[in-house]
Amino acid sequence: MEILERNDPCWCGSGKKYKKCHGAFDEKLKMYESRGILIPSHKIIKNQTQIEKIRKSAEINVAILDYVADHIKAGITTQEIDRWVTEITEKAGAVPAPLHYEGYPKSVCTSVNEQVCHGIPSEDVVLKDGDIINVDVSTILDGYFSDSSRMFCIGEVSEEKRRLVQVTKECVEKGLEQVRPWGFLGDMSQAVYDHAHANGYSVVREIGGHGVGLEFHEDPWVGYIGKAGTGMLLVPGMIFTIEPMINMGGHEIFIDDSDGWTVYTEDGLPSAQWEIMVLVTETGAEVLSW
Ligand code: MF3
Ligand code: CO
């Protein structure tokens, strides 16, 4: 932690004097750190100006997902979803974050049935009755990032797939209930894990959520195996995603060699994912994108 004098401008960029701004906050962080608790670095703690910018980015992200929700149906291709996302994002004066991210070729991820995540939109993938699909949208507005995803059931979906989609949504809600300032990331992780397992499902281990806002992927890494009372301390101004991938069968996954992106369940059984982007506030949590 950098050493600041009481009258120095605060590290958060508020323009206020350090002592009046994050002075007491840093004392509290140091106290937790001295107890061996993992504390967030200053660079992942957002100030009000940044939060407003990220909020605007998130509004576009939500509007895109609302459009998808209204128009997705059997018979369209996942490439059509990519076209919607690209067009709406451009019209809003924003940029799709996935496009060219580490070489990713499209504007959105579309993951169908046993695809766990990072499915690439294609003219060859036609949505059909009974499919479940995750549409994962991420937006950059004015340099600020937002990220969230939803599941959609196409036409008549089997009861067991519908239940997977529903329970996965509940996992995110249970996780969210645990997000509070001066709580722990593991409080959220355990709530997600417990609800998935109570329903007979498994949780993907290797891929998780992340800090977000100033960059696409920031600290902390957000897994769902952690225990309550462990993991990074949560403090006001942190923004991260809760985006568990819940499998109907085993937790094992693999990445498609041929495209280098699409993640599948090892056993070929369906997987579901919902993603929300959460701001830790002074009193609890605020969902910025869903
Ligand atoms: N949107 C994904 C997430 O939730 C990341 C996708 S990376 C991409 O973190 F390159 F595949 F788009
Ligand atoms: Co994400």
Side-chain angles (χ1 to χ4, degrees):
M1 221 181 265
E2 58 271 53
I3 311 283
L4 291 179
E5 299 294 337
R6 51 185 297 136
N7 290 329
D8 287 343
C10 189
W11 52 259
C12 81
S14 65
K16 293 187 209 153
K17 288 182 178 171
Y18 176 57
K19 173 74 185 178
K20 280 228 158 103
C21 194
H22 277 94
F25 174 93
D26 276 351
E27 288 310 314
K28 198 164 170 180
L29 276 188
K30 276 184 211 151
M31 187 270 290
Y32 277 97
E33 191 176 34
S34 72
R35 287 163 46 193
I37 287 162
L38 181 64
I39 62 166
S41 69
H42 285 164
K43 75 171 190 215
I44 63 165
I45 299 168
K46 281 80 178 171
N47 66 31
Q48 281 313 315
T49 312
Q50 293 167 328
I51 290 168
E52 273 320 304
K53 297 275 203 178
I54 296 163
R55 205 188 287 285
K56 288 271 175 281
S57 175
E59 280 168 13
I60 296 168
N61 216 63
V62 171
I64 294 168
L65 278 163
D66 285 347
Y67 185 93
V68 172
D70 286 345
H71 294 84
I72 197 165
K73 58 173 198 251
I76 66 155
T77 66
T78 52
Q79 177 55 40
E80 178 84 2
I81 300 170
D82 191 77
R83 196 171 61 79
W84 298 340
V85 172
T86 305
E87 286 181 9
I88 302 167
T89 308
E90 277 171 10
K91 231 181 246 165
V95 175
L99 189 61
H100 309 313
Y101 174 79
E102 293 186 4
Y104 187 77
K106 297 283 175 171
S107 298
V108 62
C109 297
T110 52
S111 307
V112 184
N113 298 326
E114 75 280 11
Q115 292 178 344
V116 173
C117 63
H118 304 163
I120 302 175
S122 162
E123 296 287 3
D124 300 335
V125 180
V126 182
L127 295 182
K128 56 184 193 308
D129 221 42
D131 282 344
I132 59 171
I133 177 174
N134 173 275
V135 178
D136 191 341
V137 177
S138 317
T139 300
I140 317 173
L141 180 68
D142 208 8
Y144 293 86
F145 290 79
S146 55
D147 185 14
S148 59
S149 78
R150 300 183 199 165
M151 292 298 295
F152 300 101
C153 292
I154 307 299
E156 289 296 312
V157 169
S158 71
E159 186 47 41
E160 58 169 1
K161 277 162 103 174
R162 209 168 265 286
R163 186 172 156 268
L164 175 69
V165 169
Q166 174 59 26
V167 168
T168 304
K169 190 174 193 194
E170 290 166 9
C171 284
V172 171
E173 290 162 354
K174 302 248 178 211
L176 174 63
E177 281 172 20
Q178 296 299 319
V179 178
R180 59 177 74 88
W182 313 105
F184 297 91
L185 195 57
D187 304 345
M188 180 284 298
S189 308
Q190 183 168 350
V192 168
Y193 183 94
D194 287 352
H195 191 63
H197 278 256
N199 282 281
Y201 299 141
S202 64
V203 181
V204 171
R205 291 157 185 262
E206 298 87 341
I207 312 169
H210 49 92
V212 60
L214 308 180
E215 291 173 49
F216 196 176
H217 296 114
E218 306 171 1
D219 278 347
W221 186 77
V222 179
Y224 312 97
I225 307 297
K227 286 276 164 240
T230 71
M232 190 179 280
L233 185 70
L234 302 181
V235 305
M238 283 174 75
I239 299 178
F240 60 88
T241 69
I242 303 177
E243 51 174 312
M245 284 139 269
I246 307 297
N247 294 352
M248 194 181 281
H251 68 81
E252 297 86 355
I253 56 171
F254 69 93
I255 299 175
D256 185 343
D257 275 343
S258 66
D259 68 20
W261 282 100
T262 313
V263 179
Y264 288 86
T265 58
E266 186 74 52
D267 57 17
L269 290 174
S271 181
Q273 178 183 31
W274 294 79
E275 175 178 18
I276 60 172
M277 177 173 154
V278 182
L279 166 69
V280 182
T281 66
E282 296 290 339
T283 52
E286 180 189 337
V287 179
L288 299 180
S289 190
W290 59 90

